[in-house]
Amino acid sequence: MPLRLNDLNRNVVDAQYAVRGALALRAEQLREQLHKDPGSLPFKYVINANIGNPQQLDQAPITFYRQVLSLVQYPKLIESPPSYIKPDAVRRAKFLLDHIGSVGAYSASNGVDVIRESVARFIEERDGYPADPDCIYLTAGASTGVANLIRLVARPGNGVLIPIPQYPLYSASLSLEGAVAIHYHLSEKDNWTLHHDYLERRINEAAAEGIKPTMLCVINPGNPTGSVMPDEDIENILKIAHEHDLVVLADEVYQANIFEGKFHSFKKIRQRLVSQDPKYNSIQLASVHSTSKGYIGECGQRGGYLELVGFHQDVLDQIYKMASISLCPVVSGQVLTELMVNPPKEGDESFDEFTKETSHIRETLRERAQHLYEAFKGVEGVSCYPPQGAMYLYPFITLPARAVEEAAKRGMQPDEMYCMDLLNETGICVIPGSGFGQEKDTFHFRTTFLAPGGDIISDQFVAFHKRFIEKWH
Ligand SMILES: Cc1ncc(COP(=O)(O)O)c(C=O)c1O
């Protein structure tokens, strides 16, 4: 007899991952159908606005990054590089290979030393406070860093605080470990602020239920909310973490995707607190960053890093051991991490081209975000904050009672039905708020603003929304 669901690890079966769930699968089916029979659907293309995956859409890779990657993959090119490969790309590839040997060999489990040194310099320049390369672990995307940290603290009795709404990596990783999630809601009416008195209440409530709050996960800039945390909010969160001995896991993968406001890293604010009072040195902070986001968008290359400060050596040893169980992060992904934190500088041969390409990506994202926001703004029953950060808009939608009843009949969440109908009628794939968690009886969807063709998307969306509301009114 083959294995059946009942034979499997319950934690795996129960884990949910909305951004790659039923809607994404349906989008693939529709794409396949269009491929086989182009005229069979009321739209020509499926638009994947469900996941922050820029190069799946029209974002081109950055030339300098790909030139260095090509050279390290095929070192013979270094000896006689084609004329279109710039000398600084060749110098960088040579330097890296001198230290790495071959990208086809396992590296140290925490990553190549010179790359960790580059990451430390990047953090120092970003924050104005020292960073220690020995506290940096290169990772395969941010996901492995997050999953390993959750695994590390997931023991019976411990609880992990996660935001609602959240990026489902957090709930899924907790489910996989059979660990307890302590939800804390972000306040939508205050642009998704985390109120510190409320956070403190949630911590005390969990403790009163016999759960030991152990780790506090924060996503800044937010996914799915797109909000950017002010400096003083970060300071308050760190002070609460200090008071309650919580590890802070700061997910900062969107730190370069800022449209409004300023990014402040948790590390910088922690160090500022330490400079005011050394007692804050006991705050345990883990922060993750990634080559998948920003203006790089190299999601498939799996680069990233984890910085750890304030941890006891016993814990660091365990984290190193966890990294070593998967031998090492993808070495070409490590190279990309080096390029992310150490891009061409003024005077380097690639600098002008690099600046032109990254500025173009930044401007395009800004325009697309604004365009979509303007379209949502004019639709009755849809409300949305202006784009601030990350790659998403997260509109609130008011759905008629009859639509809510119909969804129950279909065994779906109301916003899931809305998103499924949107996909089936227009080819636009977005994710319902129910996939991220939301206040009871509120409905949302998350859309990326990465896709080209803003006018078509906006027009189709507006027309669909009107049809949906009229149908169920
Ligand atoms: C908030 C957040 N954290 C982590 C990740 C994981 O990214 P990666 O593993 O590609 O670095 C994502 C991906 O969308 C994300 O949105």
Side-chain angles (χ1 to χ4, degrees):
M1 284 277 279
L3 282 178
R4 301 298 303 272
L5 219 51
N6 275 342
D7 305 314
L8 303 182
N9 179 341
R10 207 60 240 164
N11 293 344
V12 174
V13 177
D14 290 345
Q16 307 269 334
Y17 196 65
V19 287
R20 294 248 169 162
L23 277 139
L25 294 174
R26 177 70 185 142
E28 280 322 302
Q29 274 175 1
L30 292 172
R31 195 192 309 281
E32 189 69 11
Q33 184 175 336
L34 281 175
H35 187 67
K36 285 193 190 131
D37 187 358
S40 62
L41 292 170
F43 46 87
K44 285 196 193 128
Y45 314 99
V46 171
I47 297 165
N48 278 97
N50 56 313
I51 188 162
N53 193 7
Q55 294 191 26
Q56 182 190 34
L57 299 158
D58 67 339
Q59 186 172 310
I62 292 168
T63 305
F64 175 74
Y65 294 162
R66 287 298 180 92
Q67 290 193 343
V68 177
L69 283 172
S70 306
L71 295 167
V72 298
Q73 290 285 0
Y74 190 58
K76 274 201 174 138
L77 278 179
I78 294 178
E79 290 157 23
S80 50
S83 58
Y84 54 80
I85 294 197
K86 302 260 177 6
D88 57 335
V90 176
R91 288 196 301 276
R92 185 72 68 91
K94 255 193 200 151
F95 169 80
L96 287 168
L97 284 182
D98 281 350
H99 288 271
I100 296 171
S102 165
V103 291
Y106 296 130
S107 71
S109 297
N110 54 347
V112 172
D113 52 1
V114 288
I115 303 181
R116 289 187 291 106
E117 283 161 17
S118 282
V119 172
R121 274 194 302 276
F122 161 80
I123 295 170
E124 278 174 19
E125 278 165 29
R126 184 193 65 190
D127 296 343
Y129 292 102
D132 178 356
D134 287 339
C135 295
I136 288 156
Y137 293 68
L138 303 184
T139 54
S143 303
T144 48
V146 170
N148 275 348
L149 284 168
I150 287 181
R151 173 170 290 176
L152 187 76
V153 301
R155 64 173 240 156
N158 286 354
V160 175
L161 287 136
I162 60 169
I164 294 294
Q166 52 109 26
Y167 173 58
L169 166 65
Y170 290 87
S171 50
S173 300
L174 286 164
S175 293
L176 285 176
E177 301 304 331
V180 176
I182 308 165
H183 294 160
Y184 66 86
H185 285 257
L186 304 173
S187 172
E188 180 165 16
K189 70 175 174 40
D190 307 312
N191 197 359
W192 303 108
T193 297
L194 168 53
H195 292 296
H196 63 278
D197 43 352
Y198 162 75
L199 176 65
E200 189 115 43
R201 201 170 77 226
R202 289 298 295 131
I203 293 168
N204 292 330
E205 281 167 2
E209 286 167 23
I211 302 164
K212 181 177 183 296
T214 308
M215 190 157 83
L216 166 63
C217 304
V218 189
I219 309 172
N220 178 47
N223 177 5
T225 62
S227 63
V228 179
M229 262 188 190
D231 175 334
E232 55 280 12
D233 287 11
I234 299 177
E235 185 170 308
N236 285 329
I237 291 170
L238 286 167
K239 284 181 174 166
I240 290 174
H242 175 257
E243 197 183 318
H244 294 271
D245 279 334
L246 298 173
V247 171
V248 178
L249 169 49
D251 184 331
E252 301 178 327
V253 300
Y254 295 104
Q255 60 187 267
N257 299 95
I258 304 285
F259 302 102
E260 203 188 293
K262 188 170 165 8
F263 170 73
H264 301 280
S265 75
F266 271 71
K267 170 76 182 307
K268 179 180 84 179
I269 310 295
R270 178 194 186 274
Q271 297 317 108
R272 192 179 68 199
L273 281 173
V274 171
S275 70
Q276 291 158 8
D277 188 337
K279 74 176 182 187
Y280 290 113
N281 241 327
S282 64
I283 299 175
Q284 303 161 86
L285 172 66
S287 17
V288 292
H289 193 14
S290 167
T291 58
S292 301
K293 311 296 171 184
Y295 303 101
I296 305 174
E298 293 276 14
C299 300
Q301 312 257 16
R302 314 307 296 137
Y305 73 79
L306 165 67
E307 185 190 19
L308 298 166
V309 280
F311 287 85
H312 193 280
Q313 191 56 45
D314 290 351
V315 176
L316 293 176
D317 290 346
Q318 295 303 315
I319 293 171
Y320 189 93
K321 184 180 73 187
M322 289 174 89
S324 65
I325 292 172
S326 52
L327 297 159
C328 70
V330 188
V331 179
S332 52
Q334 296 185 45
V335 169
L336 199 54
T337 304
E338 149 71 21
L339 303 175
M340 169 177 78
V341 298
N342 189 10
K345 308 260 180 319
E346 205 157 357
D348 290 344
E349 295 84 345
S350 297
F351 182 74
D352 288 346
E353 184 177 43
F354 177 83
T355 309
K356 199 167 146 217
E357 289 175 351
T358 48
S359 309
H360 172 73
I361 295 170
R362 192 173 290 125
E363 275 323 299
T364 308
L365 284 185
R366 183 185 287 281
E367 276 164 24
R368 289 179 185 173
Q370 196 58 32
H371 193 102
L372 207 54
Y373 166 67
E374 294 295 335
F376 289 154
K377 223 169 63 171
V379 183
E380 209 185 315
V382 177
S383 64
C384 181
Y385 282 107
Q388 259 190 289
M391 298 178 168
Y392 314 102
L393 292 180
Y394 192 56
F396 176 100
I397 42 175
T398 307
L399 298 180
R402 279 188 54 237
V404 175
E405 284 161 24
E406 172 65 17
K409 280 188 211 150
R410 294 195 208 169
M412 294 170 111
Q413 293 298 323
D415 46 13
E416 189 185 359
M417 178 175 98
Y418 178 92
C419 294
M420 194 55 94
D421 288 1
L422 174 71
L423 173 62
N424 284 323
E425 291 181 30
T426 66
I428 303 171
C429 183
V430 299
I431 302 296
S434 43
F436 303 100
Q438 57 196 348
E439 291 283 358
K440 196 167 172 293
D441 297 330
T442 68
F443 308 114
H444 300 81
F445 66 86
R446 187 197 78 173
T447 177
T448 69
F449 40 73
L450 301 169
D455 282 335
I456 301 170
I457 298 176
S458 314
D459 291 352
Q460 284 186 339
F461 170 79
V462 173
F464 163 79
H465 184 81
K466 281 191 183 140
R467 273 198 309 278
F468 186 93
I469 300 297
E470 272 162 24
K471 181 170 172 190
W472 298 110
H473 217 65

